[in-house]
Amino acid sequence: SSSHGSPCQGSHSSAPASGSGSSSHGSSCHDSHAEHFHSYVPTEGGVVCGLFLVGAVAFVMAIYYAVNWWQKKPRLFAWKMISATISIFLSVITFNAVQFLIVDNLSFMPEEFWQVLCFFLFYVIGQIVCRHFIYDHLLLIALGTCCGHMFGFSAISAFVGIQHQLNEEGEGVIIGVCFGFVFVIGVVIVIGTMMRKKVEERLLETMSEHDVHLWMEQCVEAEDDSIGLAVGLFMSQIVQYIILGHLPPLTGYPAGKSQSQIHQLLMCVVGSSCLLLLSTYTTKKVMHTVNVSFLPTARLARIIQCINAMTTTWLTIFWSQWQYYSIHHQDKMIMKTVLAVMISAGVFPMLSVLSMQCVADSGIEAKALRAIIGALGLLVGISWEKAFDFAIRKVVLRGEGETGPSFELNMILWTVALDAIIGVAWAYFILPKATPELAEQGGADKLWGDMMVEEESEEHNGGAWSKSGSDSDE
């Protein structure tokens, strides 16, 4: 076995001859090892692994600094950003898995039919879930938020199906049909609001006004967020159509854009951001006069703000993809991860601006900034979701055609595992920090319940027993 070892190992096992020969041989072995170490040229994967190792630690520590800042408002906005990002991530992976099972396995109807059906299905499920957890405020807000996001993503998926089905009819027909679909979304929301008003009258007879008010507000906010999510994407598609001259696909590799087109989209991002500031100022004024967020005037202002915020977010996502993919040409997994890191690094410093005293100096103004916080959470959440979804589908599951029972089973297992691990931690540890009214309903004691109480009681009894024992010994 020594013959297969390194020369240096062989020299150590043999008896030393003369001092000079042994010294020169040991020096040559040491030099060869040093030369081998210093001549290491990392591969692309080694560079990514090293940067990710260092960057991950720095990123986690930066989050700890953000959520433990010395001022209260930056801490609250940091928790809201993290909460919005995780809720978007959970909603996307859950929606993708559910739609994957429905659309790809029920082939006796066209794919576009199931995409539109999922739109109505997710809306009904969201209303039922909110009604069922009306007494549990924590689960009401957590599940209501995720259901609202999935309703918005189902509208986006239906829009993708419409665009794919009418691709040969021309962009004018597609845009006209999508305007009609936006009208359908509005009709669904109006019908749902009317039905909730009737349910509200019956609930007030047996429940407290506070619980009913919280239920109504959560349902309305989930609907408004879903409207902003879907209509914002539709508006961003129209902007891209004006710049490119054709309607771009919502999926695929966004390469081949000229610098002139990229700069035009950047100017649209700046213009949309200015409109967002104006709509936020208007919403703050309305919130000062109308305190109930689901009244028509306040709700209309908030919907306009949500649409503007989500449009700005989608435009920013598309612009960052255009700009990054026009410069770098690397492995797709590397590009998606690096882009997500860059977006996160650019978004988190904006919290310091939003938390300034001149921006939000009261609870009502902070509430008016909720749409911007949600939009920033969408920006970070979508960027990381794209990286995670690509990692699960193409790297972990290695799905080429993404068909077959084994791929479907693995997809379900991964989704359930991520929802169970991330979702529970988000609902009990992060969401209560981001929502002050839920501060008393979250935490480890609420999650583990009697197990933590029994452990504390055992520690207390043990301490008392040892104390009595020591007294008797004395």
Side-chain angles (χ1 to χ4, degrees):
S1 60
S2 63
S3 62
H4 295 285
S6 66
C8 186
Q9 290 175 343
S11 66
H12 286 297
S13 61
S14 61
S18 62
S20 59
S22 174
S23 174
S24 62
H25 184 72
S27 176
S28 64
C29 287
H30 177 75
D31 292 342
S32 65
H33 281 184
E35 180 181 359
H36 176 74
F37 178 79
H38 289 295
S39 64
Y40 168 71
V41 178
T43 61
E44 188 177 25
V47 173
V48 172
C49 184
L51 292 176
F52 183 79
L53 180 63
V54 177
V57 175
F59 187 73
V60 171
M61 292 299 105
I63 292 178
Y64 271 102
Y65 275 112
V67 299
N68 292 281
W69 206 249
W70 71 81
Q71 293 175 311
K72 180 180 180 181
K73 201 174 298 178
R75 291 199 306 267
L76 178 61
F77 281 172
W79 281 115
K80 285 182 178 294
M81 252 289 293
I82 297 171
S83 178
T85 301
I86 296 178
S87 66
I88 289 289
F89 173 76
L90 290 172
S91 303
V92 171
I93 62 173
T94 305
F95 169 76
N96 286 340
V98 173
Q99 184 181 245
F100 179 79
L101 293 177
I102 295 177
V103 174
D104 290 4
N105 289 282
L106 301 178
S107 58
F108 57 88
M109 292 293 289
E111 180 177 334
E112 292 76 16
F113 170 81
W114 295 116
Q115 289 173 335
V116 176
L117 182 63
C118 285
F119 163 73
F120 295 101
L121 180 64
F122 276 107
Y123 180 77
V124 174
I125 291 176
Q127 299 299 316
I128 294 175
V129 167
C130 289
R131 173 62 185 88
H132 181 73
F133 291 99
I134 191 172
Y135 292 102
D136 193 330
H137 296 170
L138 180 64
L139 293 180
L140 170 65
I141 294 179
L143 296 177
T145 300
C146 290
C147 287
H149 291 329
M150 286 190 284
F151 173 61
F153 287 120
S154 64
I156 293 174
S157 177
F159 171 63
V160 173
I162 293 173
Q163 180 176 342
H164 178 73
Q165 183 69 20
L166 302 176
N167 197 27
E168 299 179 356
E169 301 294 334
E171 284 83 0
V173 176
I174 296 176
I175 293 176
V177 172
C178 290
F179 268 117
F181 187 69
V182 171
F183 177 76
V184 172
I185 295 177
V187 171
V188 171
I189 298 299
V190 170
I191 294 176
T193 303
M194 294 173 61
M195 295 179 64
R196 267 199 315 272
K197 292 296 292 183
K198 295 182 179 180
V199 176
E200 178 189 12
E201 296 175 357
R202 294 198 299 266
L203 291 176
L204 287 174
E205 299 176 357
T206 58
M207 296 180 59
S208 65
E209 184 177 355
H210 173 72
D211 291 338
V212 177
H213 174 85
L214 183 62
W215 168 69
M216 285 284 293
E217 189 171 14
Q218 179 57 40
C219 291
V220 168
E221 289 180 357
E223 290 177 351
D224 295 347
D225 290 339
S226 62
I227 293 174
L229 194 63
V231 179
L233 177 62
F234 176 54
M235 299 299 293
S236 68
Q237 285 290 95
I238 294 179
V239 172
Q240 293 181 83
Y241 171 73
I242 296 174
I243 295 175
L244 299 176
H246 62 86
L247 202 60
L250 289 173
T251 58
Y253 195 73
K257 307 299 187 297
S258 66
Q259 286 299 319
S260 175
Q261 293 171 339
I262 296 174
H263 292 159
Q264 290 178 34
L265 188 59
L266 176 60
M267 295 304 298
C268 292
V269 171
V270 175
S272 182
S273 301
C274 294
L275 291 177
L276 178 58
L277 295 177
L278 179 61
S279 63
T280 302
Y281 176 78
T282 305
T283 304
K284 287 166 59 176
K285 293 297 183 182
V286 173
M287 289 292 186
H288 277 292
T289 57
V290 183
N291 293 326
V292 184
S293 65
F294 53 81
L295 288 181
T297 305
R299 186 174 188 185
L300 180 61
R302 188 175 185 276
I303 288 176
I304 295 175
Q305 186 197 22
C306 283
I307 293 175
N308 201 341
M310 296 303 177
T311 302
T312 306
T313 298
W314 285 115
L315 289 175
T316 305
I317 290 175
F318 291 129
W319 171 79
S320 62
Q321 291 177 346
W322 288 13
Q323 182 66 46
Y324 184 78
Y325 292 161
S326 67
I327 299 175
H328 302 281
H329 303 280
Q330 300 170 327
D331 180 82
K332 287 186 178 181
M333 186 70 256
I334 297 175
M335 295 177 71
K336 290 179 181 291
T337 304
V338 172
L339 184 59
V341 172
M342 294 174 62
I343 291 176
S344 302
V347 165
F348 273 95
M350 297 180 65
L351 293 175
S352 59
V353 178
L354 295 177
S355 59
M356 293 174 61
Q357 192 71 18
C358 60
V359 177
D361 58 356
S362 67
I364 295 177
E365 293 182 344
K367 190 174 183 179
L369 293 175
R370 186 179 300 172
I372 298 181
I373 297 295
L376 293 176
L378 172 68
L379 180 61
V380 178
I382 289 294
S383 60
W384 280 108
E385 186 278 331
K386 288 181 177 295
F388 271 99
D389 184 67
F390 190 86
I392 293 175
R393 288 177 178 268
K394 301 297 184 181
V395 179
V396 178
L397 301 181
R398 300 182 184 274
E400 296 296 334
E402 298 184 358
T403 57
S406 61
F407 182 86
E408 295 174 359
L409 178 61
N410 290 331
M411 188 72 180
I412 295 173
L413 292 178
W414 272 97
T415 303
V416 171
L418 289 174
D419 284 342
I421 297 173
I422 301 176
V424 174
W426 165 68
Y428 282 92
F429 303 141
I430 298 178
L431 184 60
K433 295 286 188 179
T435 311
E437 56 265 26
L438 297 178
E440 301 295 330
Q441 303 186 31
D445 54 340
K446 298 295 182 181
L447 176 60
W448 305 117
D450 295 337
M451 290 187 290
M452 287 197 66
V453 175
E454 292 175 0
E455 183 180 351
E456 291 176 357
S457 63
E458 288 176 2
E459 292 177 356
H460 178 72
N461 293 335
W465 177 81
S466 60
K467 182 178 179 180
S468 62
S470 62
D471 292 339
S472 62
D473 292 339
E474 290 177 356

